[in-house]
């Protein structure tokens, strides 16, 4: 799979060009959130707020009231946790077009619980007026601008940084409340989000080869959450549903899917793959994925539970799948 | 030996400087291999040297010399190894230490090693999978009592501890190590206001005023001066000192502060002891070497540092 670097850095410069009223606010994490390119390109539309996240959210609300579009950059935890009351009362209640770029979701940082956003989707899903999008590849990131054009109120974006895979062909539009289909199938439907989509793709070929027909949807919008494509895919899956997310088990994608299934009377089994009801620790992404239960092995195991048979995929197969990502990518781009 | 109260040492300034030199040497050696939070060691080495070598009255370490692995997903509450036991744990007569900017974790670990509270091999675990010797320390990490990585939170927790200790008439003090970037956080000032209001004169806050934050010089990002005036008006006794002079630092830490918390503003240089770092100024938050040539120059600098065990 093709890896790209600093996708957001470039996309944000483009954003600034397309939207002259956009202003970037940074919480002393400018290069860390790939906003340094914007700062250099449009220094008069860049405000470094230092370590003042609550104050920064208030500034963003004030700027939005004056017709600017604030693009707030810091780690997710410093917004949804540290500045939650400000996000609620200054931004969400007022329904202002503040775009919050929350970096370091869950397992993507070795920074430990103080830096890992593990329950941001759960918390922010409960805020009226809030829209939530999570990105999983380079194309998702590049398409954020056009998605945001369709969001008149506050938007939280669960961001990733650094080296990022391109799963979807460049230019594939990203639409609010619209899943990205990766595979069709009628045994099981897999709904994955963020970095879990790439992790899942490592084994989807193996699963297919084992004879299981799995529909796979990459979920980018977590609020609103009533995409007909998702409902149809769940209806069609004879054995049940698997959700896979880099988030705690309470209140994220899995919970959203559970609510949707009950509301639409889709009485099927649901297995939620998540990091559990716990904080993480400081360690590498592969280590955290494996040990906190969102690795590819967990996905295979969940499929086996739902279909009631052993798929015959060994640990060696899983390890090899990691090494040969290219075939998967080619197949995907053909979709 | 390790972890004993330092106030009876005859040559305590030499001992404190030895710890400080060791902190710089270990942090540089580690950073040459892995990259890291190197400038934090440069600015704060003497502060940690003084705190661990003389000023703090800590009990002996109760932690295993080599920290046990950390598997957070299986560890039970009653099995938890708290980082505070490396600072002697709890007792009415000894002091407690709260590290707020836990990006200084590598400095804390190096200080524990130099003070004989942890084996030097523990540093091999730094930021590796399954270790509690984490890159950003938490309450499970040696030398850390609370989670401080979200800035401004440790000082409020320390104030709660200090209030409880006053209530119980504990003799021990409560020390807080603070970064100057944290002075931008509103919570820090809420903490100071409440510490003054509640007359927490058992608290001593030492601030590493290195004038640096992630994006560059504090003066360019969000200026914080005048600090003496701010702390004083919020109800603390505040003193300013050269943060690289252990004897002057100690005098500052002994400033009378009846009925008020004491704040020691230790003004420091973010490349003190490793002048090569000045090339990168003001972008020093996390050092990654760009080339082998650059790495070699730092190796050379390491070889020229004062050798282990020799006071400067």
């Amino acid at each position: 799979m093709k890896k790209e670097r600093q996708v957001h850095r470039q996309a944000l410069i483009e954003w600034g060009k397309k939207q002259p009223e956009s202003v970037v606010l940074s919480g002393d994490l400018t290069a860390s959130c790939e906003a340094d390119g914007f700062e250099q390109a449009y220094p008069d539309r860049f405000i470094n707020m230092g370590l003042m996240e609550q104050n920064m959210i208030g500034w963003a609300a004030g700027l939005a009231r004056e017709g600017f579009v604030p693009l707030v950059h810091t780690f997710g935890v410093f917004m949804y946790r540290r500045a939650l009351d400000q996000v609620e009362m200054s931004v969400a209640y007022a329904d202002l077009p503040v775009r919050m770029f929350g970096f370091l979701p869950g397992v993507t940082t070795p920074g430990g619980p103080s830096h890992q956003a593990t329950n941001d989707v759960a918390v922010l899903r409960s805020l009226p007026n809030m829209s939530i999008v999570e990105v999983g590849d380079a194309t998702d990131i590049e398409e954020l601008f056009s998605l945001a054009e369709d969001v008149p109120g506050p938007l939280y974006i669960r961001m990733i940084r650094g080296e990022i895979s391109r799963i979807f062909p460049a230019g594939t539009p990203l639409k609010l409340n619209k899943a990205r289909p990766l595979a069709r199938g009628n045994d099981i439907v897999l709904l994955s989000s963020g970095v879990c989509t790439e992790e899942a793709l490592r084994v989807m070929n193996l699963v297919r080869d084992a004879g299981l027909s799995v529909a796979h949807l990459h979920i980018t919008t977590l609020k609103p959450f009533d995409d007909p494509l998702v409902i149809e895919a769940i209806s069609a899956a004879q054995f049940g549903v698997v959700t896979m997310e880099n988030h705690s088990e309470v209140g994220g994608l899995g919970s959203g899917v559970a609510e949707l299934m009950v509301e639409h009377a889709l009485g099927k089994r649901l297995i939620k793959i998540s990091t559990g009801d716990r904080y993480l620790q400081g360690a590498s992404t592969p280590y955290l994925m494996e040990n906190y239960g969102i690795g590819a092995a967990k996905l295979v195991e969940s499929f086996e539970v739902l279909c009631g048979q052993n798929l015959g995929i060994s640990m060696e197969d899983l390890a090899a799948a990691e090494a040969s990502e290219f075939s998967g990518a080619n197949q995907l781009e053909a979709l | 030996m390790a972890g004993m109260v330092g106030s009876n040492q005859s040559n305590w300034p030499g001992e404190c400087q030895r710890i400080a030199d060791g902190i710089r040497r270990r942090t540089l050696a580690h950073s040459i291999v892995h990259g890291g939070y190197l400038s934090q060691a440069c600015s704060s080495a003497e502060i940690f040297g003084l705190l661990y070598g003389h000023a703090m009255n800590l009990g002996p370490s109760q932690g295993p010399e080599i920290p046990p692995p950390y598997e957070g997903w299986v560890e039970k509450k009653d099995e938890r190894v708290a980082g505070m036991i490396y600072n002697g744990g709890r007792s009415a007569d000894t002091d407690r230490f709260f590290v707020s900017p836990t990006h200084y974790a590598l400095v804390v670990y190096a200080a524990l090693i130099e003070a004989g509270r942890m084996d030097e091999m523990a540093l091999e675990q730094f930021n590796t999978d399954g270790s509690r010797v984490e890159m950003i320390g938490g309450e499970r990490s040696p030398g850390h009592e609370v989670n401080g990585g979200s800035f401004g939170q440790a000082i409020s927790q320390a104030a709660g501890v200090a209030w409880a200790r006053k209530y119980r008439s504990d003799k021990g003090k409560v020390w807080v190590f603070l970064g100057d970037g944290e002075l931008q956080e509103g919570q820090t000032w809420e903490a100071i206001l409440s510490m003054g209001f509640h007359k927490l004169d058992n608290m001593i806050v030492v601030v590493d005023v290195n004038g640096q934050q992630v994006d560059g010089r504090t003066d360019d990002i969000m200026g914080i001066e005048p600090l003496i005036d701010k702390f004083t008006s919020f109800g603390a006794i505040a003193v300013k000192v050269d943060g690289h002079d252990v004897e002057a630092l100690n005098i500052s830490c002994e400033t009378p502060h009846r009925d008020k918390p004491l704040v020691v503003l230790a003004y420091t240089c973010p490349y003190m002891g490793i002048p090569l770092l000045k090339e990168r100024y003001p972008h020093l938050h996390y050092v990654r070497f760009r080339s082998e040539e650059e790495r070699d120059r730092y190796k050379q600098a390491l070889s020229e540092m004062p050798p282990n065990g020799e006071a400067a």
Side-chain angles (χ1 to χ4, degrees), chain B:
Chain B
M1 147 78 204
M4 295 313 290
V5 176
S7 46
N8 294 328
Q9 297 156 353
S10 52
N11 178 26
W12 66 261
E15 167 63 5
C16 293
Q17 192 60 53
R18 183 197 64 77
I19 294 175
D21 294 342
I23 289 170
R24 282 198 188 88
R25 193 178 53 251
R26 289 185 190 281
T27 310
L28 176 57
H30 191 272
S31 300
I32 285 171
V33 182
H34 303 282
Y37 295 102
L38 183 55
S39 83
Q40 289 81 348
C42 292
S43 61
S44 68
E46 279 75 23
I47 298 172
F48 278 89
L50 176 77
L51 292 180
Y52 274 101
H54 181 67
M56 294 196 297
N57 176 27
L58 302 178
S61 170
Q62 299 161 8
E65 288 263 310
I66 303 281
Y70 179 55
E71 297 183 335
W73 66 97
V74 289
E75 194 170 270
K76 305 274 189 302
K77 193 164 188 171
D78 58 359
E79 297 168 350
R80 277 182 198 161
V81 176
M84 70 173 291
I85 63 178
Y86 286 86
N87 292 335
R90 296 160 186 270
S91 113
D93 292 338
T94 57
D95 296 351
R96 299 269 285 279
F97 182 41
F98 293 82
V99 182
S100 184
T102 50
H103 301 64
Y104 281 73
L106 183 53
V107 184
V108 177
Y109 304 140
L112 289 176
I113 292 167
E114 291 298 331
R117 291 173 175 271
M118 188 165 76
D119 190 275
E120 64 178 355
M121 291 307 290
L123 221 48
E124 300 293 313
Q125 292 185 32
F126 181 79
N127 196 23
T128 58
D129 287 345
S131 170
R132 64 187 63 242
V133 186
E134 291 187 39
M135 177 177 73
I136 294 174
E139 61 178 86
R140 63 220 160 264
S141 308
H144 297 70
E145 178 154 349
V146 296
N147 288 321
S150 185
F151 292 140
Q153 293 201 18
I155 187 171
S156 295
Q157 297 175 68
V161 168
W163 189 94
R165 300 196 78 184
K166 249 184 107 86
Y167 186 85
R168 285 196 307 256
S169 306
D170 281 8
K171 287 205 191 84
K173 298 186 192 108
V174 174
W175 296 79
V176 179
F177 174 79
L178 210 62
D180 58 347
E182 291 181 275
L183 304 182
Q184 294 167 352
E185 293 283 8
Q187 184 174 355
T188 303
W189 298 100
E190 294 173 25
I192 300 291
L193 183 68
S194 64
M195 285 153 53
F197 182 78
H198 286 283
K199 301 186 166 64
L200 297 182
D201 54 9
N202 54 345
M203 288 190 83
I204 302 177
V205 179
V206 184
V207 189
D208 179 6
V209 190
N210 61 14
Q212 284 291 125
Q213 53 191 112
V214 177
D215 281 349
R217 291 172 68 237
T218 304
D219 282 348
D220 298 331
I221 308 293
M222 188 63 71
I224 53 176
E225 293 284 357
L227 289 177
I228 288 277
D229 296 352
K230 286 191 179 74
F231 280 106
T232 305
S233 65
F234 272 67
I237 298 286
V239 292
K240 199 171 166 172
V241 65
D242 171 0
H244 297 299
D245 180 337
V246 289
E247 294 187 61
L249 263 173
N250 189 54
I251 290 168
S252 296
C253 290
E254 288 177 347
T255 308
H257 56 109
R258 195 192 160 123
D259 288 344
K260 291 183 174 192
L262 173 64
V263 177
V264 175
L265 298 165
Y267 281 74
T268 61
C269 165
Y271 42 82
M272 179 60 103
I274 308 178
L276 264 181
L277 262 183
K278 194 175 179 183
E279 292 172 4
R280 290 167 165 262
Y281 184 81
H283 299 290
L284 301 171
H285 179 69
Y286 189 95
V287 173
R288 269 184 202 87
F289 294 107
R290 301 182 185 105
S291 66
E292 280 309 308
E293 183 272 334
E294 188 180 29
R295 197 185 298 268
D296 286 342
R297 285 192 291 130
Y298 279 82
K299 280 183 190 161
Q300 182 63 31
L302 178 63
S303 70
E304 288 163 6
M305 284 181 125
N308 195 5
E310 221 174 85

